[in-house]
Amino acid sequence: MLNSLLIAVIYTVFSSIVSIMCGYGLATYRFRGRGVLLALVLVTMMIPMQVLLVPLFQIMAGMGWIDTYQAVILPFLANAFGIFLMRQGFLDFPPSLIEAARIDGASELRTFYRIVLPVAKPQIAALVIYTFISQWNAFIWPLLMLNTEANYTVPVALNTMIGMSRVDYSGLMLGSLLATLPLLLLFLIFQKQFVAGLLGGAVKG
């Protein structure tokens, strides 16, 4: 549980930062090739993860990162769905406010942190919840990367209860319940922000 919590929290923080910054850039700045870049980001959502497993494993092995947390966290920090979600949220932000801040002498970072981010809290909450849940439930990649039992995440540990000829159903059911409780609590606490964030940008006018 501690391994899963540590990995999920670190991944959520850094992946959310990447998604927010990329989404803001794609929604706010006008530059040549912006549409192509967005299309490339969306195309990555169509690539099955199984296609990436072998080359990513070779890269991690070449760097000596097998059985480490960074091998589980770093390869998937740039999340296409998170970038698209934040871009859609930032599209609704009035450009006149950003221009007014620039005219008043505010830097780009100050404008971003003081003016834009507070308005995007619902989308950020939805992003954080989605990112945390997806990493908490991740199974295939942690299974390939983590070889030491002390480093196992919850899904990988639950998999060890399924043997060739015997399945520990009682332990499997208890472990599944314990693994689900943090996600239920997280959703119940941030339920309103999650729904508002997913609906943000869906309706125009």
Side-chain angles (χ1 to χ4, degrees):
M1 294 287 282
L2 291 177
N3 291 336
S4 288
L5 184 62
L6 179 63
I7 292 174
V9 168
I10 295 176
Y11 175 83
T12 299
V13 170
F14 288 99
S15 180
S16 297
I17 292 174
V18 172
S19 297
I20 292 170
M21 299 291 282
C22 291
Y24 177 73
L26 290 173
T28 305
Y29 295 101
R30 301 291 184 267
F31 55 90
R32 182 177 299 179
R34 186 180 66 157
V36 176
L37 184 59
L38 177 62
L40 290 176
V41 171
L42 296 179
V43 164
T44 61
M45 299 176 64
M46 305 176 190
I47 301 176
M49 181 181 176
Q50 289 78 5
V51 177
L52 305 174
L53 293 181
V54 173
L56 282 178
F57 183 88
Q58 291 176 340
I59 293 173
M60 296 298 108
M63 299 178 68
W65 282 5
I66 300 298
D67 200 25
T68 61
Y69 290 157
Q70 60 264 32
V72 178
I73 296 171
L74 291 180
F76 301 100
L77 279 184
N79 187 293
F81 175 79
I83 293 173
F84 180 74
L85 176 66
M86 295 310 303
R87 179 210 178 242
Q88 294 303 108
F90 287 131
L91 283 177
D92 288 339
F93 193 85
S96 58
L97 292 180
I98 299 177
E99 293 298 330
R102 290 171 179 169
I103 293 174
D104 289 339
S107 64
E108 292 295 328
L109 285 178
R110 185 178 180 86
T111 301
F112 178 68
Y113 285 112
R114 294 296 181 89
I115 298 177
V116 179
L117 280 188
V119 180
K121 284 182 179 179
Q123 287 81 13
I124 294 175
L127 173 67
V128 167
I129 293 173
Y130 166 79
T131 306
F132 183 89
I133 291 177
S134 64
Q135 183 59 44
W136 180 274
N137 291 330
F139 171 68
I140 297 179
W141 185 244
L143 179 65
L144 290 176
M145 287 293 100
L146 303 176
N147 301 328
T148 306
E149 186 174 346
N151 292 333
Y152 283 174
T153 59
V154 171
V156 177
L158 290 177
N159 183 64
T160 62
M161 298 181 180
I162 303 176
M164 294 293 293
S165 58
R166 180 178 177 275
V167 179
D168 184 6
Y169 286 106
S170 59
L172 197 60
M173 295 292 287
L174 178 60
S176 300
L177 175 62
L178 293 176
T180 306
L181 286 178
L183 304 182
L184 290 176
L185 292 175
L186 182 69
F187 181 76
L188 290 176
I189 294 172
F190 297 103
Q191 157 179 331
K192 293 182 180 179
Q193 292 87 341
F194 181 70
V195 175
L198 290 180
L199 294 178
V203 180
K204 298 290 184 182

